[in-house]
Amino acid sequence: MCGIVGYAGRQNPVDFLLRGLRMLEYRGYDSAGVAVTGSGKNIRTVKSAGRIDVLHKLVQEAGLQGHIGIGHTRWATHGLPTKENAHPHKSFDGAVAVVHNGVIENHQTIREELQRKGIEYVSQTDTESIAHLIAYYLREERGNAGEKPEELLPRIVRLALSQLNGTYGMAVLFRDYPDVMIGAKLGSPLIFGIGKGENFLTSDAATLAGCTDRIITLADHELVFLSADDYALYHRDSGAVPPHIETLAIDVSQVDKGGFPHYMLKEIFEQPEAVRNTLRGHFDYDSATAKFNGLNILPPKLLSVRRILMTACGTSWHASMVGEYQIETLSRIPVEVEYASELRYRNPPLDEHTLLFAITQSGETADTIAALREMKRRGFPTLSICNVVGSTIAREADGGIYLHAGPEIGVASTKTFTSQCTVMALLALYLGRLRHLSFERGREIIASMEQLPALIEQALSVNDHVKKIAQKYAHCGDFLFLARQFNFPAALEGALKLKEISYVHAEGYAAGEMKHGPIALIDKNTPSVFVAPKSYVLDKTISNMQEIKARGGPVIALITEGDRETKALADDVIELPEVTEFLQPIIYNIPLQLFAYHAAVARGCDVDKPRNLAKSVTVE
């Protein structure tokens, strides 16, 4: 992994490839490369470790020209981030070049078999085995006399794919067929863009903004054969399949920085509109409840649900924890939150009244997909909450809810976390009204949720104040984030954001757990960030703050406007508007995002491209 682009047309492909790779930088990568055909008898490649700027310079120096090309940004899984391990990878005879996202689990077996046949390897990657395997079959099979490229090449690639165990989104070039390309998909996203006199491949639809609005999202086991003017879609096992063309709902303005210095800051400030879009169309005022068009589960079936299992990774796992508090409070249905990376290998005791929710921004997170598939295999109904229309999880779940938060470019999720928590609140209302919530209580909850965009705008107004606090503490190497009940997941998320983009050690804790070990860490150089709005547990949280102060630890407190008692205890205070308790994590997370952002900037970190991280983790 991490990003794929491909172009077939009458223009030099290098322009689109480099533009696309720059747009994919946000996903995280450690090396990059491009390959082109159509300019001679060989596939020409240029690769480098490091940033796209380095690759761009090398491409210019090489004078790379052609009609068809592929590009890749790599996030290392097999082998160090070196030029040799960067994609594209060429076959032993130079006849094939491949870029690939995913992991080929049996690559070592293929490597050993091909080495016995005299094929030499030059990299440590699993991807090189794909290139050699395709070239080997191309040499061995050669095709029937007169077999057309659109028949021969898909057949050869399908033969090679049948030998692979694992996941892939890939694009393949051929030296002897310099005007065509093949893309294939299993478990890692790949999108085909249909243009006029040009066609595209990409792992991220955002790269097609401004190029085309007609796309085909490849399903698992599908591959596409394409040239500048034509294409054909195939299933790996059953031959040609009819295309399902969709409209790309992304414009250029959604994928630029819009005057902000970083995507992350832009997306933090997009949250009022993101939440408006998430809420739009989901209120049923006549019944004082929420409504969803894509759940595909009727109320009688939902009434039989006795347990909800939520599975996710990273920030989505924290949003699921917010949902646990919200749903249990409003609907009284027991909720469990499981890391997808653990659930996929567990065999928890579940009965037939269990409902699974898979939560993911991209809809392509490998661990979450695997957990969903395992639960489907066992016969449980599955629903998804994701942001990307047509993603793998959205297609494979029995039903689901889209966030409609818009493209999120920053690696550290911000607006999608807020939108996920908003969807959880809608679900809590919906399930609660199916059971015991009164009509009047439903109306009150709707009224509270309708205020969210305005409350988020108020929370964003503290940006300059938060910046000063972040700069004050940016030199510190350890932070604790503390809260109780609904806001405990917000503390976990605040700590994660600081870790992700500023590389500072930070831990989130339930405030009541401080005295059971973490309090040993307190000193004058370890700030504690308390999420402490007015609530039924505020007195307990204040006691925890006093414990920190008694040991000389600095306290940063997020409090409700006008709360003088809590304010008097803190060294630094961020005041926020009053909000009903089950929505507090949404509002109080905003300054935590801003704090992490400004701390990272103060420390000179690359906010949009944090080291070692990828936006969509499509490998285990």
Side-chain angles (χ1 to χ4, degrees):
M1 55 184 295
C2 194
I4 289 173
V5 287
Y7 175 88
R10 294 171 181 80
Q11 307 298 319
N12 185 6
V14 170
D15 294 336
F16 172 78
L17 298 180
L18 291 175
R19 170 185 171 272
L21 293 180
R22 286 194 183 280
M23 295 181 70
L24 293 174
E25 283 191 287
Y26 77 93
R27 301 175 71 92
Y29 70 104
D30 47 51
S31 58
V34 296
V36 300
T37 63
S39 58
K41 295 183 178 180
N42 296 313
I43 300 173
R44 296 186 64 195
T45 63
V46 177
K47 307 193 292 185
S48 70
R51 294 302 189 192
I52 300 298
D53 287 341
V54 177
L55 178 68
H56 193 169
K57 182 178 179 181
L58 293 173
V59 167
Q60 288 182 319
E61 292 173 352
L64 210 58
Q65 296 283 330
H67 299 301
I68 190 165
I70 53 178
H72 189 266
T73 51
R74 176 177 185 256
W75 187 79
T77 56
H78 294 76
L80 297 172
T82 63
K83 177 181 176 180
E84 291 73 23
N85 289 330
H87 299 211
H89 287 286
K90 293 173 71 172
S91 61
F92 60 93
D93 56 0
V96 172
V98 173
V99 293
H100 162 236
N101 288 344
V103 171
I104 303 305
E105 296 170 357
N106 63 332
H107 77 96
Q108 187 62 35
T109 301
I110 296 172
R111 176 184 288 253
E112 292 170 359
E113 182 178 342
L114 292 176
Q115 285 175 331
R116 285 194 293 270
K117 298 178 185 295
I119 293 174
E120 295 184 2
Y121 279 67
V122 297
S123 80
Q124 300 166 295
T125 69
D126 54 338
T127 302
E128 189 179 354
S129 288
I130 302 174
H132 292 325
L133 195 61
I134 293 173
Y136 175 79
Y137 281 125
L138 190 59
R139 176 177 287 188
E140 291 294 308
E141 294 287 316
R142 296 194 183 277
N144 300 319
E147 191 173 17
K148 298 177 181 178
E150 60 267 31
E151 298 169 348
L152 169 66
L153 299 179
R155 179 172 67 81
I156 295 298
V157 172
R158 287 157 63 188
L159 183 60
L161 295 180
S162 69
Q163 306 303 308
L164 304 181
N165 295 331
T167 58
Y168 52 79
M170 70 173 74
V172 188
L173 294 185
F174 303 90
R175 179 193 60 202
D176 300 329
Y177 305 90
D179 296 318
V180 300
M181 180 194 316
I182 285 182
K185 191 262 186 193
L186 175 61
S188 191
L190 195 65
I191 297 163
F192 170 55
I194 306 168
K196 295 180 180 179
E198 56 185 4
N199 289 312
F200 309 87
L201 276 179
T202 182
S203 56
D204 189 325
T207 62
L208 300 179
C211 297
T212 182
D213 61 357
R214 301 175 69 221
I215 63 171
I216 296 172
T217 302
L218 269 66
D220 279 352
H221 304 295
E222 286 186 347
L223 57 115
V224 61
F225 174 92
L226 64 108
S227 63
D229 298 304
D230 202 7
Y231 69 91
L233 203 62
Y234 301 88
H235 190 277
R236 189 187 70 183
D237 303 321
S238 57
V241 296
H244 174 63
I245 300 175
E246 303 168 287
T247 300
L248 177 65
I250 301 175
D251 60 47
V252 174
S253 66
Q254 291 178 296
V255 293
D256 62 30
K257 293 179 183 176
F260 287 88
H262 298 94
Y263 282 111
M264 182 178 178
L265 188 61
K266 177 196 177 193
E267 288 157 7
I268 290 173
F269 275 85
E270 286 178 340
Q271 288 176 112
E273 187 61 24
V275 168
R276 285 189 189 97
N277 292 335
T278 298
L279 291 173
R280 186 171 289 119
H282 283 310
F283 290 132
D284 182 346
Y285 296 95
D286 291 337
S287 300
T289 188
K291 59 181 180 181
F292 304 98
N293 295 324
L295 288 185
N296 298 332
I297 296 180
L298 296 175
K301 176 68 173 177
L302 287 173
L303 280 170
S304 70
V305 171
R306 297 176 186 170
R307 184 184 192 185
I308 292 174
L309 181 61
M310 292 191 173
T311 191
C313 302
T315 287
S316 296
W317 189 80
H318 296 153
S320 301
M321 286 191 66
V322 173
E324 176 182 6
Y325 282 96
Q326 292 169 329
I327 291 170
E328 288 188 347
T329 298
L330 297 184
S331 76
R332 312 303 300 164
I333 301 174
V335 178
E336 291 183 41
V337 179
E338 287 262 9
Y339 284 114
S341 57
E342 290 293 309
L343 180 61
R344 65 184 295 187
Y345 297 114
R346 272 174 32 81
N347 186 27
L350 305 173
D351 63 27
E352 67 273 19
H353 301 291
T354 299
L355 172 64
L356 178 86
F357 274 94
I359 297 90
T360 162
Q361 187 281 134
S362 67
E364 303 292 350
T365 307
D367 286 317
T368 310
I369 293 171
L372 175 108
R373 288 172 175 168
E374 176 61 16
M375 293 300 104
K376 282 179 69 72
R377 184 194 65 78
R378 295 177 59 185
F380 295 107
T382 59
L383 298 174
S384 68
I385 298 173
C386 70
N387 194 41
V388 180
V389 176
S391 58
T392 299
I393 279 182
R395 292 196 308 270
E396 293 196 11
D398 298 320
I401 306 166
Y402 285 120
L403 301 179
H404 298 297
E408 186 176 67
I409 307 300
V411 170
S413 291
T414 52
K415 65 178 180 178
T416 54
F417 172 78
T418 305
S419 290
Q420 285 171 338
C421 294
T422 301
V423 165
M424 296 294 182
L426 287 166
L427 271 174
L429 168 62
Y430 179 69
L431 296 171
R433 285 288 287 135
L434 282 178
R435 285 165 169 77
H436 67 89
L437 281 183
S438 69
F439 181 90
E440 286 304 317
R441 180 61 178 141
R443 280 287 182 90
E444 291 172 1
I445 291 170
I446 289 174
S448 296
M449 295 188 68
E450 287 181 319
Q451 296 302 310
L452 277 174
L455 290 169
I456 293 172
E457 287 172 351
Q458 286 182 253
L460 287 168
S461 70
V462 304
N463 179 49
D464 290 342
H465 179 57
V466 172
K467 180 178 179 179
K468 292 177 182 177
I469 297 173
Q471 290 173 337
K472 176 181 175 180
Y473 293 100
H475 68 282
C476 296
D478 297 278
F479 283 79
L480 294 174
F481 286 73
L482 306 163
R484 288 175 177 264
Q485 296 299 295
F486 288 101
N487 293 298
F488 169 45
L492 295 175
E493 176 62 11
L496 177 62
K497 282 293 156 285
L498 193 62
K499 280 185 280 195
E500 284 180 319
I501 61 170
S502 70
Y503 319 141
V504 170
H505 174 253
E507 296 295 336
Y509 278 97
E513 291 299 302
M514 276 299 298
K515 54 189 172 291
H516 298 294
I519 201 167
L521 301 173
I522 298 301
D523 62 24
K524 64 180 181 179
N525 296 313
T526 305
S528 295
V529 181
F530 277 87
V531 184
K534 286 184 178 178
S535 71
Y536 70 99
V537 291
L538 178 57
D539 288 345
K540 301 298 183 183
T541 306
I542 288 174
S543 296
N544 300 134
M545 292 174 66
Q546 291 170 327
E547 293 168 355
I548 301 295
K549 292 297 294 181
R551 288 158 179 82
V555 170
I556 304 167
L558 280 61
I559 68 171
T560 303
E561 288 174 332
D563 180 1
R564 287 179 290 184
E565 180 184 0
T566 312
K567 184 176 183 178
L569 286 173
D571 296 278
D572 294 277
V573 170
I574 301 167
E575 296 190 60
L576 295 162
E578 188 167 356
V579 59
T580 188
E581 287 187 47
F582 78 96
L583 299 177
Q584 286 174 349
I586 297 173
I587 304 304
Y588 280 73
N589 185 62
I590 305 298
L592 298 180
Q593 296 172 349
L594 291 168
F595 183 85
Y597 170 80
H598 289 300
V601 171
R603 293 171 63 87
C605 300
D606 192 342
V607 173
D608 286 333
K609 299 184 284 290
R611 68 188 182 200
N612 302 330
L613 296 182
K615 180 65 176 175
S616 179
V617 184
T618 56
V619 297
E620 183 177 355

